[in-house]
Amino acid sequence: MSDALQKTITLLLLIALGLLLKSKFKNKDQTNGIKEIILSVALPSTIFISLMKIDIDSSMFVIPLVTLIFNFLMFFSAPLAFALFGIEKNSPTGRTLMMLIPSLAPGLSCFPFIAEFLGEKSLAIAALADVGNKFFVLISLYILAMNMFLKNSDDKETKMGGKLKSLFASMFQEPINLLIFIAIILLSLGINYSKLPPLVVDIFDKTSAMMTPLVLLFIGLAVQLKEGKKRIVASILFFRAGITMLISAGMIYVLNINDQNMVLLAIVIPLSAASFWPLAHISAFNLREDAKGMAKEKRTFDLELAVLLLAFSLPFSTILILAILSSGSFFAHTSTLITAGLILICLGAVPNVLSKVFVKVSKASS
């Protein structure tokens, strides 16, 4: 058995263990507790170690900018889904998808597998890439949500300046971002991981070791199979993955990326699950509409759709990322990437096309 296959089976078995333990974690606070340990302890430690062990040069700081450009390309590509699936852009569904489609959450859905398959240097680059994504999901999407809310409800009371100041403060208070900032300062002073006190190194090593098992168990625990708008959610996730692959192929070609690990990073980071932050923004504005007693169909966003899409996004992205990384160099070619992207878009469109055909046949027979 090859190392890649053995590693993939091990990771999948840990996810399966999480599924088996779901009955033991009936309280949502329990799974949220595991998530908090991952995001506040294990993942920050892993990223700090990865950054401190590599030589960072000034050219690497273009990486967050490239990710930010990708976020905006995804944002402007989202309306293509509306045309494909017959969604009205200015409807609660359309506005919700405009928030979620371009957002990324690589921490839970991508970083553990990058660490396992591509190594510490690749993980450090991925962490830098997520800085650009954080600016997008925290700042750009909040401004977008605010604009949508104001247009839909004619609310004039919101003070955007105070909210943005609060968002900037919260962003720099996150353990991941704080440790990235500390690591960059230490490296600029010529202090790398080997020069840190042994006690500090030991703490980071042990907390980092928890990351992959905890993330995989959490994925198994968090999988939800709720009824509802599953068809549109599945279609959107296939479309999102497909358009992501096409944009990744374009960026790989334009930036002339040749190193296999960098190519795989350019593919799997954008395939990360949708971020929780758009849901946080949506929930905040939904509460304000609750207070006004606004009817569900007149609201700015569809909160139920946002929750359902997030629930399916994590396992969907995990499966795709695992498949790509375990396949070695198979996807490290733009032609393969373009073909896979087009196939995924077609798979997303099939349910809607079949539904329309069924309706036409039904009308013709009646």
Side-chain angles (χ1 to χ4, degrees):
M1 185 183 295
S2 68
D3 288 342
L5 181 59
Q6 183 174 326
K7 191 174 291 185
T8 303
I9 291 172
T10 302
L11 298 178
L12 289 172
L13 286 174
L14 282 169
I15 294 174
L17 180 59
L19 284 166
L20 290 173
L21 291 172
K22 278 178 75 72
S23 61
K24 303 287 185 181
F25 290 79
K26 294 178 181 179
N27 189 334
K28 192 176 179 181
D29 289 339
Q30 292 176 310
T31 53
N32 284 341
I34 294 175
K35 180 181 176 182
E36 193 60 40
I37 291 172
I38 294 167
L39 295 178
S40 298
V41 181
L43 186 57
S45 293
T46 304
I47 289 171
F48 180 79
I49 291 170
S50 301
L51 286 171
M52 291 295 290
K53 284 186 176 180
I54 68 166
D55 297 322
I56 295 181
D57 57 68
S58 58
S59 64
M60 293 182 73
F61 291 100
V62 76
I63 293 171
L65 179 61
V66 172
T67 311
L68 191 59
I69 291 170
F70 171 84
N71 288 129
F72 278 106
L73 287 174
M74 282 295 289
F75 173 75
F76 290 116
S77 300
L80 295 174
F82 305 156
L84 198 61
F85 305 124
I87 297 168
E88 174 61 42
K89 183 179 178 180
N90 289 320
S91 65
T93 297
R95 289 188 285 262
T96 300
L97 294 177
M98 286 294 289
M99 292 285 289
L100 286 164
I101 286 175
S103 69
L104 302 175
L108 289 174
S109 57
C110 186
F111 284 177
F113 308 112
I114 289 174
E116 289 293 325
F117 286 92
L118 302 181
E120 290 179 341
K121 183 175 181 179
S122 294
L123 180 61
I125 293 169
L128 287 176
D130 190 37
V131 173
N133 171 62
K134 285 282 178 61
F135 272 97
F136 180 79
V137 296
L138 285 171
I139 310 302
S140 301
L141 287 185
Y142 180 80
I143 294 171
L144 175 68
M146 175 81 73
N147 187 49
M148 290 176 175
F149 173 75
L150 292 175
K151 282 184 177 180
N152 188 59
S153 63
D154 295 324
D155 190 311
K156 306 296 182 185
E157 299 175 5
T158 302
K159 294 181 180 179
M160 189 176 292
K163 292 289 186 181
L164 290 179
K165 184 179 179 181
S166 174
L167 279 172
F168 272 114
S170 67
M171 185 171 70
F172 286 105
Q173 287 170 2
E174 282 190 39
I176 291 176
N177 298 332
L178 189 60
L179 283 178
I180 289 174
F181 183 66
I182 291 170
I184 291 170
I185 290 176
L186 290 173
L187 288 171
S188 67
L189 296 173
I191 301 171
N192 59 27
Y193 198 61
S194 62
K195 294 180 180 178
L196 293 176
L199 179 63
V200 174
V201 170
D202 199 35
I203 289 171
F204 275 104
D205 284 343
K206 284 181 167 54
T207 51
S208 171
M210 300 188 296
M211 186 187 72
T212 300
L214 277 180
V215 168
L216 296 171
L217 287 171
F218 174 76
I219 290 170
L221 291 169
V223 171
Q224 299 291 333
L225 299 173
K226 297 178 181 177
E227 295 297 325
K229 304 174 182 178
K230 289 194 292 187
R231 184 178 65 82
I232 187 63
V233 166
S235 295
I236 289 298
L237 288 175
F238 275 108
F239 168 84
R240 180 178 182 265
I243 203 73
T244 291
M245 286 187 170
L246 295 182
I247 294 174
S248 292
M251 295 186 82
I252 289 166
Y253 177 77
V254 170
L255 297 173
N256 194 27
I257 302 173
N258 296 310
D259 179 76
Q260 182 174 309
N261 276 14
M262 289 298 292
V263 169
L264 290 173
L265 280 178
I267 297 168
V268 299
I269 293 173
L271 283 172
S272 300
S275 173
F276 167 80
W277 279 104
L279 177 63
H281 302 328
I282 287 169
S283 299
F285 291 113
N286 192 67
L287 284 172
R288 297 181 64 165
E289 291 171 337
D290 271 342
K292 294 180 179 181
M294 188 178 289
K296 188 176 180 181
E297 62 275 6
K298 292 183 179 180
R299 296 199 176 193
T300 309
F301 303 105
D302 185 338
L303 185 61
E304 180 187 336
L305 175 64
V307 171
L308 195 60
L309 194 144
L310 280 177
F312 280 91
S313 178
L314 181 58
F316 183 85
S317 291
T318 300
I319 291 167
L320 276 180
I321 290 167
L322 256 178
I324 289 168
L325 290 177
S326 61
S327 66
S329 62
F330 180 75
F331 282 93
H333 307 281
T334 51
S335 57
T336 306
L337 205 52
I338 291 169
T339 303
L342 292 173
I343 289 171
L344 287 169
I345 290 172
C346 290
L347 287 173
V350 164
N352 189 53
V353 172
L354 290 178
S355 178
K356 287 182 177 179
V357 170
F358 180 75
V359 169
K360 286 182 179 179
V361 170
S362 299
K363 287 181 178 178
S365 61
S366 60

